């Protein structure tokens, strides 16, 4: 409750509403067919209010039901590999499901919001009619939190304006914070489009996510890591201001001067739990001269040799790469393959190559032990071109373009992310690895654990998804967000995951392979058990974690959870906003329809 004392709400923006649940708080939400489901006239009133943007949602997959072997269904499954197509379909999500967890299902109706007023109308309609409400932006939730059957969906895809500022001051902050360069983004924008405006066109840097088609609002509310987070910190820590529609239908501004606890909660407290964010302003920074990539794939001749390679790469990371220059991944595979997929900033190509030379030479010195399958490749590009779609299209295999006729030129994605479009997940687990594991003595235990884990399933150290080794001011800024503080001194997030191609239960010929999926999930479980032997109570990252995470509140938010719950209760004590493993979701049934407590 102490946290509530720090609310500051000037007259122009409503401050926190009352904390107690209202007398009319639903214990059960209504579904289509229930007597109190809104009638056609009510839906039509809503439709008029929002300028005709109400959609009766139907999944394109429904067309496959009647003719699963037909040409139209085959064509649809091809289209599903395009994340831009998925993003533009109101009834689809970027992941189609997760075995034994969830399957993507369309809402009953959707408000295709174009303005904040549309969001207000939808929030009020859902609250007054006791509907299950769900919010979708980029649609990339692995946990399935942007779809819910029998719900009303607020779909922000069409709110995607991006405005670059030279000198931004938040509402109520005049004279309290200095003007600074920034970018204001509407809630439905995706990172590729933001990077193109901020970096390619304006020559600045904004900290966002790695995947080009992820939504800005979803990522910021998760915390958000990009390839260069080891230098520029957590994406949410760069948030200067948000506009958000809360459960009471009020439009609130949240920033360092106004609605401060709400602001803190938006930064990493998890999407879909506090309200509908309609607009975000993020700080921008100077660009470094170059961004670059280092890749290499090595196969070890035996298990014993692979264990040696694991030890060497960890030692090399600890001595040489554990600093703000380096991000992305080191992958360990059961077939004794090590894949280096790293990025760098603040160095030129020659400097990066000099850094890596001792490692390359070490590998090359033992050809009987190590077979180099690809690389080593060290490439640098002017930073301003790193997200420039026209430039990237000149290098085959780097990006994939949206292949729909008439698609905007800027619609590209990293080729490496294409495999995730319309995936059906088999398993996904992650854990924050404390930087202390890089010290001399624990390093060998870390090597043993990663080696043992890799006997079951592949796993990747995402070194940009832990802020250990980042500049102190970036670590401090991330400390002023809701994210689990374990992230602040982790050197990496280790992720082990498996997915199958586009599939959907009930569509003959396109069903997920459940038996294989469960086998893979069990293997991932075994792999991550080896990692957890190092430290049983590690944290995780809400957006990239296990659907079945038992101790999710501690894992995602650690000691910040009670404060986050207080924010939730201040703005949504009736639980209008419920998502799987989101703040306050423990009070609701798994489908979000029945209040348990
Ligand atoms: C291929 C892929 C790559 C990824 N790469 C990265 C990465 O590099 N770094 C990283 O940090 N994460 C990454 N993620 C995870 C991603 O950041 C999160 O899943 C993020 O929440 C997705 O946001 P979205 O808007 O695309 O998704 P959505 O599914 O639309 O939204 C995610 C959650 O946020 C809520 N939400 C969305 N918009 C709003 C809004 N306007 N107001 C309130 N709530 C809202 C939704 O209800 C849902 O609960 C990746 C995910 C995928 C699938």
């Amino acid at each position: 409750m102490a946290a509530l004392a720090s609310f500051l709400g000037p007259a122009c923006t409503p401050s926190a509403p009352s904390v107690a649940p209202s007398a009319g708080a639903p214990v059960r939400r209504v579904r289509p067919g229930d007597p109190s489901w809104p009638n056609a006239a009510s839906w039509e009133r809503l439709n008029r209010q929002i300028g005709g943007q109400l959609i009766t949602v139907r999944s394109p997959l429904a067309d496959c039901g009647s003719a699963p072997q037909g040409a139209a269904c085959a064509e649809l499954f091809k289209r599903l590999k395009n994340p831009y197509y998925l993003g533009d379909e109101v009834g689809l999500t970027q992941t189609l499901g997760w075995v034994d967890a969830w399957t993507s299902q369309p809402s009953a109706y959707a408000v295709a919001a174009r303005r904040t007023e549309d969001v207000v109308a939808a929030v009020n309609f859902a609250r007054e009619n006791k509907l299950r409400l769900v919010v979708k932006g980029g649609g990339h939730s692995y946990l399935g939190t942007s779809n819910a059957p029998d719900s009303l969906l607020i779909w922000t895809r069409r709110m995607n304006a991006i405005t670059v500022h030279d000198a931004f001051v938040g509402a109520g902050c005049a004279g309290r914070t200095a003007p600074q360069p920034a970018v204001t983004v509407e809630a439905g924008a995706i990172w590729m489009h933001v990077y193109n405006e901020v970096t390619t066109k304006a020559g600045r840097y904004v900290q966002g996510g790695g995947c080009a088609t992820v939504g800005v609002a979803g990522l910021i509310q998760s915390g958000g890591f990009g390839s260069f987070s080891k230098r520029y910190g957590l994406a949410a820590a760069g948030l200067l201001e948000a506009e958000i529609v809360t459960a009471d239908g009020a439009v609130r501004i949240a920033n360092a001067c106004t609605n401060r606890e709400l602001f803190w909660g938006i930064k990493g407290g998890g999407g879909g739990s506090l309200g509908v964010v309609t607009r975000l302003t993020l700080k921008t920074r100077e660009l470094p001269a170059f961004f670059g990539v280092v890749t290499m794939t090595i196969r070890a001749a035996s298990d014993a040799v692979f264990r040696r390679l694991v030890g060497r790469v960890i030692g090399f990371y600890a001595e040489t790469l554990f600093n703000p220059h380096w991000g992305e991944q080191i992958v360990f595979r059961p077939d004794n393959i090590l894949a280096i997929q790293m990025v760098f900033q603040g160095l030129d190509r020659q400097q990066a190559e000099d850094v890596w030379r001792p490692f390359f030479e070490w590998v090359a010195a033992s050809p009987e032990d190590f077979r180099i399958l690809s690389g080593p490749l060290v490439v640098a590009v002017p930073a301003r071109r790193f997200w420039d779609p026209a430039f990237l299209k000149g290098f085959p295999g780097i990006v994939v373009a949206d292949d729909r006729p008439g698609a905007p030129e800027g619609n590209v994605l990293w080729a490496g992310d294409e495999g995730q479009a319309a995936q059906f997940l088999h398993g996904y687990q992650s854990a924050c690895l404390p930087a202390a594991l890089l010290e001399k003595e624990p390093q060998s235990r870390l090597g043993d654990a990663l080696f043992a884990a890799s006997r079951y399933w592949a796993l990747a150290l995402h070194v940009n998804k832990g802020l250990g080794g980042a500049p102190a001011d970036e670590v401090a800024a991330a400390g002023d967000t809701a994210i689990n503080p374990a992230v602040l001194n982790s050197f990496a997030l280790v992720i082990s995951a498996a997915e199958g191609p586009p599939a959907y239960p009930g569509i003959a010929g396109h069903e997920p392979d459940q038996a294989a999926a469960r086998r893979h999930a069990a293997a991932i479980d075994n792999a991550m058990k080896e990692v957890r032997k190092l430290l049983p109570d590690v944290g995780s990252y809400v957006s990239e974690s296990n659907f079945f995470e038992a101790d999710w509140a501690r894992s995602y938010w650690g000691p910040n959870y009670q404060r986050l719950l207080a924010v939730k209760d201040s703005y949504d004590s009736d639980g209008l906003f419920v998502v799987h493993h989101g703040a306050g979701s423990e009070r609701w049934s798994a489908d979000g329809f029945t209040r348990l407590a």
Side-chain angles (χ1 to χ4, degrees), residues 7-11 13-18 246 248 250 252 258-259 570-571:
F7 281 117
L8 289 178
T13 176
S15 55
S18 68
T246 45
D248 56 356
R252 295 169 199 279
T258 305
N259 289 319
S570 300
Y571 290 94

Side-chain angles (χ1 to χ4, degrees), residues 31-166:
R31 294 181 189 270
D34 287 346
S36 49
W37 180 254
N39 60 25
S42 301
W43 285 110
E44 188 41 41
R45 263 197 308 281
L46 173 64
N47 190 28
R48 277 200 303 276
Q49 235 182 324
I50 59 173
Q53 301 303 318
L54 187 69
I55 300 172
T56 307
V57 186
R58 190 165 184 281
S59 166
L61 290 163
D63 296 334
C64 273
S66 50
Q69 312 299 347
C73 187
E75 179 53 34
L76 171 62
F77 268 82
K78 262 194 229 149
R79 279 206 301 273
L80 293 175
K81 289 310 297 171
N82 179 350
Y84 286 93
Y85 165 75
L86 293 170
D88 286 339
E89 278 295 330
V90 63
L92 292 175
T93 48
Q94 298 281 338
T95 291
L96 291 185
W98 181 323
V99 71
D100 298 326
W102 63 278
T103 303
S104 182
Q105 297 199 49
S107 297
Y109 286 95
V111 169
R114 289 178 187 275
R115 309 161 308 164
T116 299
E117 296 90 297
D118 300 340
V119 174
V120 171
V123 165
N124 287 337
F125 189 84
R127 188 189 61 251
E128 287 159 10
N129 290 287
K130 299 185 169 36
L131 303 184
R132 171 86 165 89
L133 187 62
V134 67
V135 187
K136 184 171 72 154
H140 282 66
S141 170
Y142 289 120
L143 301 183
T145 54
S146 50
N147 78 97
D150 298 339
S151 64
L152 173 62
L153 169 69
I154 297 178
W155 188 38
T156 62
R157 182 73 165 183
R158 295 174 188 169
M159 298 176 75
N160 50 27
I162 300 166
T163 312
V164 174
H165 312 276
D166 291 332

Side-chain angles (χ1 to χ4, degrees), residues 506-524:
I507 302 181
H510 296 284
E511 299 257 18
D513 183 344
Q514 307 250 11
R518 289 182 186 129
R519 265 198 324 276
H520 299 161
I524 290 168

Side-chain angles (χ1 to χ4, degrees), residues 135 137-142 145-146 210-211 215 218-219 225 272 275 277 541 543-544:
V135 187
H140 282 66
S141 170
Y142 289 120
T145 54
S146 50
C211 172
L219 182 122
F225 299 98
V277 170
Y541 171 40
S543 270
E544 298 185 312

